[in-house]
Amino acid sequence: MGGPEPEHRLRLRSAEVVVDDATPQGKLGSPPAAVGDLAVEPHVSVVIPCLDEAESIAECVEEALTALRRAGLETEVVVVDNGSRDGSAALAAAAGARVVHEPRRGYGHAYLAGFAAARGRYVVMADGDGTYDLRDAARFCHELDAGADVVIGSRLRGTVHPGAMPWLHRRIGNPLLTWLLNIFVGIRVSDAHSGMRAFRRSLLPRLALCSTGMELASEQLVRSGRLGLEIRELPIHYRPRRGRSKLLWPRDGWRHLWLLLAHSPAWLLLLPMALLGGAGLLALREAVIPAGALAATGCLLLAAVSAARLSAPEPIQREPQALLDGDLRPEPELPLSGGDVRL
């Protein structure tokens, strides 16, 4: 009595993720089941990264819990506190969330910690700044029930509320990066950088996500496309955010672009080589350089094609729905590295 609670530790591959030992009961009734309570396994885990979102985090938690429980889905909300100093973690816990602490800053770091802590069959992703209407979360789960592997909420095909998205992002940045992703990966989405999406948790080992920043959103779609997963889109509402934005568009945009190039060696290597090959043909025609240069260019092109073929992952083996539904239990292998988890 009065002594410290014993700690249970699990080894992961990356950072130390601390899960609060007790979550206060929220306004919506009974709190989510404790992490150690395996008697109740949630159907859906809503994972929300949080960095100083005191103005909105409680409302986001309540929206998600209300909507999904009203739809008859056993739900937990996992809020990943990324070093907040404004009491966001306490507000999230009071609203009914299970709070995970990830000290390493970054959108990707926060989500990887949240995925490691999630226990639901489906994972719904959303920001904690009030921009996404989490009352739509049940629609995403219905699409997964209907056979989708990944569901993206499209702001550009839905409703962007006044003041919610800068003109530069809406008309140039987001469409351009989305177009490049579609071209490089061979998928067809309209809003590759939407922060509201859902996927089957059993796919995490195959996706092997590792990005630590905003580019995690692109990495998830790139890997899903390479694996041949079924990606669907739903139109959603996008509302003005509350509080200060953490997005640094020059840096984050460049990181998205670099990730696309790094995962698309055919474009990263073949396009420059094709240009060199054309220059070689022109130079040969003008007798400026010997034919050996053309042969060297051809060898480089062949090497680039080989690299592209070797780097492409194998498509995922599609399973019958019955098997797919049966293997969605908590996975022992999680895509983090180093450190441990204290429950």
Side-chain angles (χ1 to χ4, degrees):
M1 295 182 63
E5 292 290 333
E7 288 184 342
H8 306 280
R9 304 176 75 87
L10 300 173
R11 298 297 301 179
L12 294 177
R13 285 183 307 175
S14 182
E16 181 180 72
V17 180
V18 184
V19 181
D20 284 0
D21 294 321
T23 299
Q25 183 166 340
K27 301 176 183 178
L28 299 172
S30 59
V35 179
D37 181 9
L38 299 180
V40 179
E41 181 179 306
H43 190 83
V44 183
S45 294
V46 180
V47 179
I48 303 176
C50 176
L51 174 59
D52 294 330
E53 305 288 5
E55 297 181 39
S56 54
I57 190 62
E59 183 176 332
C60 291
V61 172
E62 291 170 0
E63 274 187 355
L65 289 174
T66 300
L68 289 166
R69 288 176 178 173
R70 189 171 290 163
L73 300 173
E74 185 65 36
T75 302
E76 67 170 359
V77 175
V78 179
V79 170
V80 185
D81 181 58
N82 209 197
S84 299
R85 298 181 179 180
D86 63 352
S88 296
L91 292 171
R98 183 158 56 92
V99 177
V100 173
H101 297 280
E102 170 53 80
R104 297 173 305 168
R105 291 287 179 90
Y107 180 87
H109 279 311
Y111 264 124
L112 292 177
F115 296 160
R119 299 181 298 122
R121 176 176 298 183
Y122 301 149
V123 176
V124 175
M125 303 166 58
D127 296 342
D129 56 10
T131 50
Y132 295 101
D133 190 345
L134 282 160
R135 292 172 296 184
D136 286 335
R139 292 197 296 138
F140 286 71
C141 297
H142 294 331
E143 290 295 325
L144 294 175
D145 285 337
D149 295 309
V150 180
V151 184
I152 306 296
S154 176
R155 301 165 294 179
L156 303 184
R157 288 184 176 172
T159 302
V160 178
H161 292 226
M165 187 184 298
W167 183 91
L168 185 65
H169 297 180
R170 183 177 182 181
R171 301 299 182 188
I172 299 178
N174 196 359
L176 177 60
L177 289 173
T178 297
W179 177 76
L180 288 174
L181 187 145
N182 287 334
I183 293 294
F184 288 179
V185 184
I187 61 176
R188 301 182 71 178
V189 297
S190 64
D191 189 2
H193 301 104
S194 171
M196 187 170 184
R197 50 185 71 186
F199 64 95
R200 300 176 181 273
R201 190 172 66 88
S202 64
L203 294 171
L204 280 172
R206 295 295 305 274
L207 291 171
L209 302 174
C210 59
S211 296
T212 60
M214 290 287 187
E215 69 277 10
L216 180 85
S218 293
E219 184 190 20
Q220 186 185 45
L221 286 180
V222 168
R223 293 185 181 274
S224 296
R226 298 285 191 220
L227 290 170
L229 303 182
E230 182 172 348
I231 303 172
R232 299 183 187 177
E233 279 194 325
L234 290 174
I236 60 171
H237 288 265
Y238 190 62
R239 306 177 294 199
R241 67 161 290 122
R242 302 181 199 172
R244 182 178 60 87
S245 174
K246 286 80 178 177
L247 180 67
L248 299 175
W249 68 265
R251 181 201 65 185
D252 293 327
W254 167 249
R255 291 179 69 161
H256 280 288
L257 179 59
W258 178 246
L259 181 135
L260 294 179
L261 292 172
H263 282 78
S264 304
W267 289 91
L268 181 61
L269 299 175
L270 287 181
L271 185 58
M273 292 306 158
L275 294 175
L276 286 175
L281 286 172
L282 180 62
L284 181 63
R285 179 180 176 183
E286 299 297 329
V288 176
I289 58 174
L294 181 61
T297 302
C299 291
L300 288 174
L301 282 170
L302 182 60
V305 172
S306 301
R309 290 174 63 87
L310 290 174
S311 65
E314 293 295 324
I316 192 171
Q317 297 296 318
R318 306 292 297 175
E319 303 176 61
Q321 188 65 34
L323 292 178
L324 204 56
D325 289 339
D327 69 351
L328 296 175
R329 297 183 204 140
E331 301 281 353
E333 59 270 23
L334 295 168
L336 292 179
S337 53
D340 28 67
V341 175
R342 294 206 302 264
L343 305 183

